[in-house]
């Protein structure tokens, strides 16, 4: 039976026997860069971060999956070293200067000339390897959303600098970028060995499914990593649970319960979108949506098992009570009309109360609101 801490995911889990062993090779390559102390990598290795990629892409083209594993490894350690490690804390300018040279790599990798032995040089090598395995322009969409991810890292550092703390919805929008979900979801076709056209990516249901899965990955990460972040974060937590608790003046456990309602509705929305597209879309589009679901399920299975989060379990926290429920989609009835966007879900709307209009001024007319000023 479902309860307040049930994370619903009817997506079939991947059989680990079908997955590649990626961690050992990826860590060996990263050690060769000499970017962080070996003891730091040894601690990270216990979390087996590449197991997530292996679970998410059991049917991917092997050399492409291994190239993406190297990218995941770089992203994982970069985030852990600079942002989770607190080196950027309270210094948005330093964060901007850190990510700025990386942005050029995604615009034109062959033009950038990073210093040997730098983070940029390591990333350039990974990007060139990925490009060598595909056709021209195949990674253009990925490069665009990944640039957004790095900019979001800098935004995240400045997020809590103002007097007013950002609320749930603004925090979620940022987390959809800083988790890297959009970046790695966009690599699904690449790893499976096919490409999607701009027209296919622009199908409203495809865009909505991508958004829904980004929301799922962000919320699941914030729920499952909350105890770890609470113990280690030195400044303002960029976490949707913390944001809602602060916004509403409630405890984290109550915030988590309310977020889980919205999260489970978002899962139902993704399943409905996938079912809709199965009836009319191409095999490649359907495969893209299946890959999105695999990422969500893999992230849950990995997060519930990894020592990265389990070692910080707090028995007084909601984190110790989170559990996965493999219920059927029929038990996830949205009962909310035909919208395809996550922000229209009842659970999400309840987390974002609309501000009341000012008593001193009536709302502007449509003509006044949109009149051009010269």
């Amino acid at each position: 039976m479902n309860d307040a801490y049930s994370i619903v995911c009817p997506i079939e889990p991947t059989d680990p026997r079908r997955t590649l062993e990626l961690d050992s090779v990826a860590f060996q390559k990263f050690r060769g860069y000499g970017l962080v102390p070996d003891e730091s990598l040894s601690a990270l290795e216990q979390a087996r971060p590449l197991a997530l990629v292996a679970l998410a892409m059991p049917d991917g083209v092997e050399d492409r999956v291994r190239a993406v594993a190297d990218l995941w490894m770089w992203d994982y350690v970069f985030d852990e070293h600079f942002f989770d490690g607190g080196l950027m804390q309270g210094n948005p300018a330093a964060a901007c200067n850190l990510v700025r040279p990386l942005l050029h790599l995604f615009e034109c990798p062959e033009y950038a000339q990073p210093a040997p032995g730098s983070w940029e040089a390591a990333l350039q090598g990974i990007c060139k390897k990925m490009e060598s395995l595909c056709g021209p322009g195949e990674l253009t969409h990925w490069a665009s959303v990944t640039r957004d991810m790095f900019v979001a890292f800098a935004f995240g550092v400045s997020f809590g600098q103002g007097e007013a703390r950002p609320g749930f919805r603004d925090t979620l929008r940022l987390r959809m970028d800083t988790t890297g979900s959009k970046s790695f979801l966009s690599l699904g076709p690449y790893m499976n060995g096919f490409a999607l056209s701009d027209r296919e990516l622009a199908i409203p249901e495809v865009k909505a499914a991508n958004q829904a899965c980004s929301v799922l990955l962000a919320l699941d990460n914030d729920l499952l990593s909350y105890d770890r972040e609470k113990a280690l974060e030195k400044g303002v937590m960029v976490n949707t649970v913390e944001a809602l608790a602060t916004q509403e003046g409630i405890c984290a456990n109550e915030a988590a319960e309310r977020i889980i309602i919205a999260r489970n509705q978002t899962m139902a929305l993704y399943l409905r979108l996938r079912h809709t597209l199965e009836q009319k879309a191409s095999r490649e589009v359907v495969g893209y949506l299946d890959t999105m679901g695999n990422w969500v399920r893999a992230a849950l299975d990995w997060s519930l098992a990894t020592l990265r989060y389990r070692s910080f379990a707090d028995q007084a926290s909601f984190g110790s009570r989170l559990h996965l429920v493999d219920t059927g989609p029929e038990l996830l009835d949205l009962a909310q009309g035909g919208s395809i966007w996550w922000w229209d879900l009842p659970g999400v709307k309840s987390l974002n109360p609309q501000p009341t209009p000012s008593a001193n001024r009536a709302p502007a007319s449509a003509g006044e609101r949109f009149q051009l000023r010269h």
Side-chain angles (χ1 to χ4, degrees):
M1 180 179 293
N2 296 2
D3 60 30
Y5 299 107
S6 297
I7 298 178
V8 178
C9 188
I11 299 166
E12 190 74 20
T14 297
D15 184 346
R17 291 173 298 181
R18 294 175 55 202
T19 63
L20 297 170
E21 172 53 51
L22 301 174
D23 280 284
S24 58
V25 175
F27 271 94
Q28 183 180 358
K29 287 183 181 178
F30 199 90
R31 283 187 168 91
Y33 301 148
L35 296 172
V36 295
D38 187 67
E39 55 267 25
S40 297
L41 286 178
S42 296
L44 292 176
E45 200 163 7
Q46 296 180 35
R48 299 197 63 238
L50 275 303
L52 196 164
V53 178
L55 288 170
M57 295 301 305
D59 300 314
V61 180
E62 182 171 339
D63 54 358
R64 294 188 177 198
V65 173
R66 291 192 180 279
V68 171
D70 292 339
L71 173 69
W72 182 275
M73 185 78 242
W74 188 98
D75 283 347
Y76 185 85
V77 182
F78 180 83
D79 186 29
E80 179 86 12
H81 181 69
F82 289 105
F83 293 93
D84 289 0
L87 295 181
M88 299 292 107
Q89 186 58 49
N91 194 343
C96 289
N97 287 331
L98 176 68
V99 302
R100 178 182 49 78
L102 301 174
L103 303 183
H104 298 295
L105 289 172
F106 298 104
E107 183 178 5
C108 195
E110 62 274 15
Y111 176 75
Q113 296 181 326
S118 64
W119 287 88
E120 300 95 275
L123 182 58
Q124 183 185 47
I126 294 168
C127 291
K128 286 185 175 180
K129 175 63 176 178
M130 291 172 60
E131 287 193 333
S132 72
L133 298 172
C134 64
E138 194 172 328
L139 292 174
T140 300
H141 178 60
W142 165 77
S144 175
V145 296
T146 304
R147 282 170 60 92
D148 292 344
M149 178 186 74
F150 281 104
V151 172
F153 282 154
F155 286 166
V157 174
S158 63
F159 212 49
Q161 300 298 307
E163 292 183 8
R165 290 283 299 278
F168 168 82
R169 186 160 181 162
D170 288 336
T171 303
L172 175 57
R173 285 169 170 165
L174 179 65
R175 292 293 291 132
M176 289 168 68
D177 288 324
T178 57
T179 59
S181 60
K182 294 179 182 177
S183 174
F184 285 95
L185 288 177
S186 73
L187 287 170
Y190 168 82
M191 286 191 279
N192 277 315
F194 62 83
L196 294 181
S197 67
D198 290 342
R199 183 175 182 178
E200 287 173 314
L201 290 171
I203 295 171
E205 290 88 353
V206 173
K207 293 174 66 176
N210 193 294
Q211 286 259 326
C213 284
S214 295
V215 170
L216 290 169
L217 289 164
L219 293 181
D220 288 348
N221 182 262
D222 283 2
L223 289 163
L224 291 160
S225 68
Y226 180 85
D227 289 341
R228 179 182 185 272
E229 292 180 23
K230 196 71 174 177
L232 297 182
E233 294 285 342
K234 299 178 176 64
V236 175
M237 288 174 61
V238 184
N239 181 294
T240 50
V241 179
E242 185 74 1
L244 183 62
T246 302
Q247 171 185 298
E248 298 295 309
I250 57 179
C251 69
N253 286 10
E254 183 179 347
E257 291 178 16
R258 291 171 58 180
I259 286 172
I260 288 170
I261 292 172
R263 181 257 173 235
N264 288 342
Q265 290 176 359
T266 306
M267 170 57 72
L269 177 64
Y270 160 75
L271 293 172
R272 191 176 71 184
L273 290 166
R274 186 176 70 176
H275 177 73
T276 298
L277 285 165
E278 284 173 348
Q279 313 305 311
K280 62 180 183 180
S282 68
R283 181 179 62 183
E284 289 78 13
V285 166
V286 174
Y288 180 39
L289 264 72
D290 285 342
T291 298
M292 293 181 197
N294 287 343
W295 274 103
V296 173
R297 179 62 195 237
L300 277 171
D301 289 338
W302 177 81
S303 298
L304 287 164
T306 181
L307 290 175
R308 178 177 174 84
Y309 301 146
R310 287 177 56 198
S311 59
F312 289 92
D314 179 353
Q315 294 306 307
S317 167
F318 66 86
S320 64
R321 282 165 275 177
L322 294 172
H323 57 279
L324 183 62
V325 176
D326 293 307
T327 188
E330 67 278 3
L331 301 180
L332 288 168
D333 182 22
L334 293 177
Q336 57 91 31
S339 176
I340 63 175
W341 303 105
W342 60 269
W343 54 79
D344 286 329
L345 297 173
V348 176
K349 287 185 174 181
S350 70
L351 299 176
N352 297 281
Q354 297 299 310
T356 56
S358 170
N360 298 324
R361 185 177 188 274
S365 67
E368 180 183 352
R369 287 200 302 270
F370 298 106
Q371 183 178 358
L372 294 175
R373 306 290 183 181
H374 296 285

